[in-house]
Amino acid sequence: MRGCPVVTDTAGSPLGPGPGASATGEGLVRRRRRRWLRVSALGGAGLLLAAAGAGWAVYAKLSGNITADEAAAAELARYERERPTALVRGAQNILLIGSDTRSGDGNGKYGRDLGTERSDTTILLHLAADRASATAVSLPRDLMVDIPGCHRADGSRSEPVFSMFNHAFQVGGSACTIRTVEKLTGIRVDHHMVVDFSGFKEMVDAVDGVTVCLKEPIDDKAAKLKLPAGRVTLDGEQALGYVRARKSLGDGSDTERMERQQRFLGAFADKAQSNGVLLNPAKLYPVLNAATSSLTTDPELASLRGLYQLARGLRDIPTEHVQFLTVPRTSYGYDANRDQLVEPEAEKLFTRLRADRPVVVTRYPQEIQRKSAERGGGNGASPAPTFSGNTAAERSCA
């Protein structure tokens, strides 16, 4: 019969309970300590497994949100021989496309779905090889360009045409847009992202809004936007109206609309950095969830790992080195409502981006260029070309 251990004398007579037999014995203490260590170890392992499982679940969810643009990858592969070659190892060029599609959750309120979509906004983002700077170049949707023959969604092929830039996306989607940009600039597009209206709004809401400074009040019925003058924090819906509004703001030009978009993106980048969003998983998750839910990218970026590597290259760039500009353009000679490139300024910009050389932006480019020429005139130095633009560190009002 099992029981407490008993100590006996040499004749076998019991003398009393042995060490550890009582509730206060050292043996019981040791057994309880061992049992506690086993339970703690199992509990710790369980917590680690749970955390790992939760982490994997989050990773899988965010990665699963992203749509891989396999069709564009296949189309670009067919034309690999005609595409530009990357000149600087480590530098990257990402084409950001804002789609005006009315299909998908929440997009129908912005108009009727006609079965096609156009690039409402297109930005070529250049990341320097040393990740010390980022340059975002807006390409006007009304810019007259040569669009190659492209594969349509119905399987047919379009004929090459000289038309407005956003016609490329309408005809052949992201692949046609990328080929058009590469033909126009001679710059190799390494990655691309397409985001719709819903994704844009949700990203703004995920950082608790973005503050802008308005010189005048806004009352735009078409954009459903009514805002006072001064500092205003825009939620996602308001931000979408703000960056898309055109005729009721300023001179109504697409150029001014692009500049407004650039200032907003700069404010968004500043908000993300100042709030520690990129370094705080709790704050970063809602942004990533919003972004990935409405994001279509090339297959290489279509995972959380791919996006993280891209974000890691961006997060340490000072806001004063995140630059925004519009490609040098002027009114098209045959139609004042269209744009054309200004040469040789546009080619100077493209050449510097291809070679990963610094680009200087300012709101007063003519004055800066004059002073640079005066300084360089005495020693024969060639001043760096300066372009009209701004940085993420600038504010439109105090």
Side-chain angles (χ1 to χ4, degrees), residues 258-317:
M258 287 185 293
E259 292 173 352
R260 188 165 65 251
Q261 291 171 350
Q262 293 164 5
R263 289 194 297 272
F264 180 85
L265 289 174
F268 180 90
D270 186 54
K271 177 67 174 289
Q273 287 197 355
S274 63
N275 265 21
V277 171
L278 299 179
L279 300 175
N280 186 332
K283 293 182 177 181
L284 182 59
Y285 174 79
V287 178
L288 287 177
N289 188 48
T292 56
S293 295
S294 301
L295 197 63
T296 299
T297 76
D298 57 280
E300 191 175 342
L301 279 187
S303 70
L304 198 58
R305 177 183 175 84
L307 288 179
Y308 172 74
Q309 290 176 338
L310 179 61
R312 185 174 62 181
L314 285 168
R315 70 184 183 187
D316 294 327
I317 300 176

Side-chain angles (χ1 to χ4, degrees), residues 71-85 147-152 155-160 172 174-180 182-183 188-189:
E75 178 75 351
L76 292 173
R78 293 189 187 99
Y79 294 92
E80 181 59 38
R81 289 187 178 182
E82 73 176 36
R83 299 184 66 195
T85 301
I147 300 174
C150 294
H151 185 85
R152 293 192 180 100
S156 64
R157 286 203 165 269
S158 66
E159 293 295 325
S174 53
C176 193
T177 301
I178 290 168
R179 292 178 59 213
T180 301
E182 291 183 339
K183 184 178 180 67
R188 173 83 176 206
V189 174

Side-chain angles (χ1 to χ4, degrees), residues 327-344:
V327 64
R329 42 71 55 201
T330 189
S331 295
Y332 181 51
Y334 298 97
D335 186 343
N337 293 318
R338 305 289 181 259
D339 290 333
Q340 65 183 31
L341 294 180
V342 172
E343 299 292 5

